[in-house]
Structure formats: C-alpha cells, structure tokens
Amino acid sequence: MRIVSDTDLPDLADVEARVRAAIHRRDSSGLRLLGHGEVSIVLGWPTDEPVHALKRVPPFRTAALAQQYIDACEQNFAVLRAAEVQLWPTSLHTVVRDDGRVVVYHRQPVADPVQIGSNVLRAAEPADSHPLLDVIVASVVRVVTPTVGFDVQVANWLWDGTTAQQLDFTSPFLMTPARDDLLFDTSGFLQEYPAVLRPLLRRELTTLIRRLTTAEGAIGDMISNLHKEGLHQWVDPAIRAARNVAGVSVDKATAIKMYEDDKKLMPVALKLKKVQRAWLVRTGRTYDSLLPDRTTYE
Ligand SMILES: Nc1ncnc2c1ncn2[C@@H]1O[C@H](COP(=O)(O)OP(=O)(O)OP(=O)(O)O)[C@@H](O)[C@H]1O
Ligand SMILES: [Mg+2]
C-alpha cells in the first residue's frame, strides 16, 4: 500500500463532523458522492475538487473492535497480494469520536470513472471475450479458499487497458475456521437494521459470504451483477471466460435467479434501514449511517 503522509490526508475529524451533519439532516447534498455500493457510500474530498475517495465504515463501539476490523482488512490485502491481485492504493485511518465510537475510513486516490469495470464494459464493442473478464476469473481461482471470499463484481475493478486493479476493500470476506462468521465484528453493519431482524440477517450474510468462497459462487455473483448493470451482452463472454480461463462452469439460469433474488431483497433491505432510522430518530437517538436514496438495483 502507498503510505500517505499526514499532510496529504484530509482532516478526518472534520470529514466525520460533516458526514454526521448530513446524517442528521438526512441529506447528503452538501457532500460530493463518487459512487455507492450496497454497503458504503464513497465520498469525494475536498468537496469542490476531490483528490481523495473516502469510504466510511459504520462506527465501532470500541477501539478494540475497530482494530479487529483493521486487522481483517490488512490480512485481506496480504491474501490478495499473495494471489497477485493488483490493488488500487488504499490506506486505513481511524477517527475516535467524542462519544467513544471509532470510525474507520478507507482512503484512496480518486479513480477515473471511465476506468471502472462496469463503465469499461458498457463502452466496449460487443465481443466474444474481454480481457478484463479473463483477468477477473483468473484471479478468483487464485484467491478463494473455504475461508476466503472474493467480491469480484465488475464495478469493483479498474481497467486501464492492460491491468485490472481491485478497489473494493470495505468488506474483507475472511471467515473463521468454522466458517460460521467473519473475522471481525459485523454488529456495526447489522446495527443499521431493525434489531428483530439482525439474527436472520446475520445468517443471510453468512450464506452470502460462503457463496463468495467458491469460484463458482464468486463468478456466478459477478455474472448476476452484470444483469444488474444492464450488461447482458457480457454474460455469455463471462461464462465462456470462466470455463476457458478458469475451468469453472457457471450456470446461466442460476446467475439470473441470483440477480432476481437480490433485486427483490436489496430495496427491501434499504427500506428496513430507513425504518430503523425513523425509529431511532423518533425515540431521540441517532442513526449512524448515511443512506443512499436508492439501491444500485433501482
Ligand atoms: N477510489 C474511487 N474513486 C472513484 N470512484 C470510486 C472509488 N472507489 C469506489 N468508487 C465508486 O463507488 C462504487 C462503490 O465502491 P465500493 O465497491 O468500494 O463500495 P461497496 O460496493 O459499497 O463496498 P462493499 O463491497 O463493501 O459493498 C464503485 O463501484 C465505484 O463506482
Ligand atoms: Mg463494490
């Protein structure tokens, strides 16, 4: 990872204060959003001319839990590097808030949107294959193990014409040896949902992560996301790349079913977060995440 000198870094206490104000107003219009996935919102900083891309992870209750998350991220970087995956330069930073909670930010240089994998495929002429898809499927088989998952959807990669770099590190999918949980405490993520649903969601999350620990599952998930992005013309080339480059067979119908399930689930999940937010606000407490207006499925 590139070491960012302190003078390069934005004042994260100031960033956190601005994010909290936006959360409080339930309005992110004063911030510059570079993108969002299903988990994090990516902030451009400074707002008027961004040089940093900042990804805020839901706050941890204690410094020890934040450290556990950071350790899992560092281990994930090491696993990916050992598997010869190219990584977009990323550093992790913490802000200790007055209320004792610890917020972790991932800091990256701002990427050229033209190079984001989904935009690359959208702009490319239809073809039987694409080198980005070949690199992705080849990297999956080098990374996944029963305890290491990999989220390889095309929007998580940058492609400069010759090299693919992974840019999404906010959820390190490293599991315990028993494969029943992640290596870090996910309650901050689950805190965004109504309490009654958390046990169910925790089970769903475990199922999803187990899916990402097999090459078939991780590539199937990537293909299901091609449908989400409207990149249907790249589904057959991706299935072909999986077979020819990685020796993995992915069933087209299963990928469509995954997409249809996610398309139903994700907007419900976001609505549930909004319900939880309304409930906390009504009972005089604060919700601690900035939510997008809609999911990437709408
Ligand atoms: N460094 C960056 N510069 C510009 N845009 C970025 C950068 N990082 C991410 N983005 C944009 O934001 C989107 C979401 O980012 P990312 O994949 O890291 O988060 P996420 O999908 O919410 O993470 P998670 O896998 O934890 O759900 C990316 O697909 C991309 O379009
Ligand atoms: Mg992502």
Side-chain angles (χ1 to χ4, degrees), residues 25-194:
R25 291 194 312 271
R26 298 195 211 175
D27 171 17
S28 56
S29 56
L31 300 169
R32 178 81 166 264
L33 303 185
L34 300 178
H36 72 89
E38 297 316 321
V39 175
S40 41
I41 277 184
V42 185
L43 294 178
W45 204 269
T47 309
D48 38 349
E49 219 174 303
V51 286
H52 307 282
L54 300 175
K55 305 180 189 183
R56 179 180 183 266
V57 178
F60 293 93
R61 271 180 291 111
T62 64
L65 290 175
Q67 190 57 48
Q68 192 189 44
Y69 169 79
I70 291 169
D71 291 345
C73 289
E74 298 291 351
Q75 193 179 330
N76 191 39
F77 292 139
V79 165
L80 294 175
R81 262 192 242 111
E84 290 174 10
V85 175
Q86 305 293 314
L87 314 182
W88 186 239
T90 307
S91 52
L92 269 57
H93 308 273
T94 53
V95 183
V96 182
R97 286 194 331 210
D98 292 344
D99 63 2
R101 295 198 177 226
V102 181
V103 189
V104 179
Y105 279 90
H106 290 231
R107 183 270 162 204
Q108 299 177 328
V110 175
D112 178 355
V114 169
Q115 295 191 352
I116 306 255
S118 39
N119 296 336
V120 169
L121 292 184
R122 196 162 288 117
E125 287 296 320
D128 288 344
S129 63
H130 193 287
L132 170 61
L133 295 172
D134 293 350
V135 175
I136 292 176
V137 298
S139 71
V140 170
V141 286
R142 293 197 306 270
V143 169
V144 295
T145 72
T147 56
V148 176
F150 198 15
D151 176 1
V152 293
Q153 53 178 292
V154 292
N156 288 348
W157 297 88
L158 289 172
W159 176 251
D160 63 6
T162 45
T163 311
Q165 285 174 288
Q166 170 70 208
L167 61 68
D168 183 353
F169 308 107
T170 40
S171 308
F173 293 117
L174 302 180
M175 303 196 83
T176 57
R179 303 182 79 227
D180 55 357
D181 208 347
L182 287 177
L183 287 188
F184 65 96
D185 181 71
T186 50
S187 44
F189 292 86
L190 293 170
Q191 215 69 32
E192 296 183 339
Y193 295 93

Side-chain angles (χ1 to χ4, degrees), residues 222-242:
M222 181 268 278
I223 293 173
S224 135
N225 273 288
L226 289 174
H227 287 293
K228 175 184 91 172
E229 300 270 2
L231 295 166
H232 310 283
Q233 69 276 25
W234 292 106
V235 168
D236 285 334
I239 291 175
R240 210 172 296 126

